[in-house]
Amino acid sequence: MTGLIFYALGIVSTIKANVGYAPWDVFHVGLVNKTSLSLGVVSIIVGTLIVIIVTVLKEKFGLGTILNMVFIGIFIDIIFPHFPAAPNQIIGYIMLISGLFIISIGSYFYIKSAFGVGPRDNLMVVLARKTKLPAGFCRFVIELLVTVIGWLLGGMVWIGTIISAIGIGFCIQLTFKIFKFDVTAVSHETLRDTFAVINKKYQ
């Protein structure tokens, strides 16, 4: 849950930077512009649809996937009204880069918990498995698609979008290195595994 709070805080920081949204946030804000829904609620709905898609495609997910789907949206709506917008572009870029590192710290906490990755990461994994294409390429295609759709819906695409798309990988790599965290060593519990552990504990 600590990781999800950090993740939501990072998202809000990159949006309030007002120098171009990250790919998925371009899409989310675009949907907000076309509906009366809040950013957090849109994030939850999109996450839910993705979980349904990956489930249909027989990809396993964990409790962490569901918590990610629900609580990041809730935390975004709690934090967003109280987080100041950047007064100028210089502060905006500082907020953007800081936000990417905050997201990376959030990723460290929630991935290390080993309860499953987020819905959007899961979508990348399932597409890579189904198409046999590299995961990085699948992520690029997904984020390009959501960016274009979000831009058509009115989401902001600017220099910050490019920085976010390129920089998030660097920020995550540096953060994991600082924490000496090997993401490949984590074995995630599926939802079935978690229920089995709970059931065994209380029998």
Side-chain angles (χ1 to χ4, degrees):
M1 294 302 287
T2 301
L4 301 184
I5 292 172
F6 272 105
Y7 207 101
L9 179 63
I11 289 173
V12 172
S13 181
T14 61
I15 292 174
K16 290 281 190 170
N18 205 35
V19 290
Y21 305 147
W24 275 105
D25 294 325
V26 175
F27 181 59
H28 293 154
V29 173
L31 290 175
V32 169
N33 290 340
K34 298 299 180 180
T35 66
S36 59
L37 302 173
S38 69
L39 181 60
V41 170
V42 166
S43 177
I44 292 171
I45 291 172
V46 172
T48 302
L49 292 174
I50 293 172
V51 168
I52 292 171
I53 291 170
V54 299
T55 301
V56 170
L57 294 174
K58 299 181 180 179
E59 181 68 22
K60 295 179 181 179
F61 61 90
L63 177 63
T65 307
I66 298 174
L67 296 179
N68 180 301
M69 175 185 75
V70 175
F71 281 96
I72 286 180
I74 291 173
F75 293 143
I76 285 174
D77 278 350
I78 292 173
I79 297 169
F80 199 88
H82 308 289
F83 201 97
N88 55 61
Q89 283 198 342
I90 294 176
I91 299 298
Y93 286 115
I94 293 172
M95 286 173 58
L96 173 69
I97 295 170
S98 298
L100 294 178
F101 275 108
I102 294 170
I103 288 171
S104 301
I105 293 170
S107 298
Y108 161 74
F109 277 112
Y110 96 73
I111 292 174
K112 191 175 182 181
S113 70
F115 282 114
V117 299
R120 291 153 189 81
D121 294 327
N122 228 353
L123 180 61
M124 173 191 68
V125 172
V126 72
L127 286 179
R129 288 181 179 172
K130 293 295 182 180
T131 63
K132 308 300 181 185
L133 294 170
F137 178 76
C138 290
R139 177 166 182 162
F140 170 76
V141 171
I142 292 168
E143 296 200 347
L144 177 62
L145 183 61
V146 296
T147 299
V148 171
I149 295 173
W151 175 69
L152 292 173
L153 293 173
M156 177 186 281
V157 176
W158 189 235
I159 297 172
T161 307
I162 299 172
I163 294 174
S164 296
I166 297 173
I168 187 63
F170 169 78
C171 293
I172 288 175
Q173 183 177 349
L174 181 58
T175 300
F176 286 5
K177 185 175 182 180
I178 291 171
F179 285 105
K180 298 179 179 179
F181 177 52
D182 181 8
V183 68
T184 62
V186 179
S187 179
H188 289 279
E189 279 189 9
T190 66
L191 198 58
R192 181 177 294 180
D193 294 334
T194 303
F195 283 135
V197 170
I198 294 172
N199 185 52
K200 184 178 180 181
K201 184 176 180 180
Y202 290 100
Q203 276 185 343

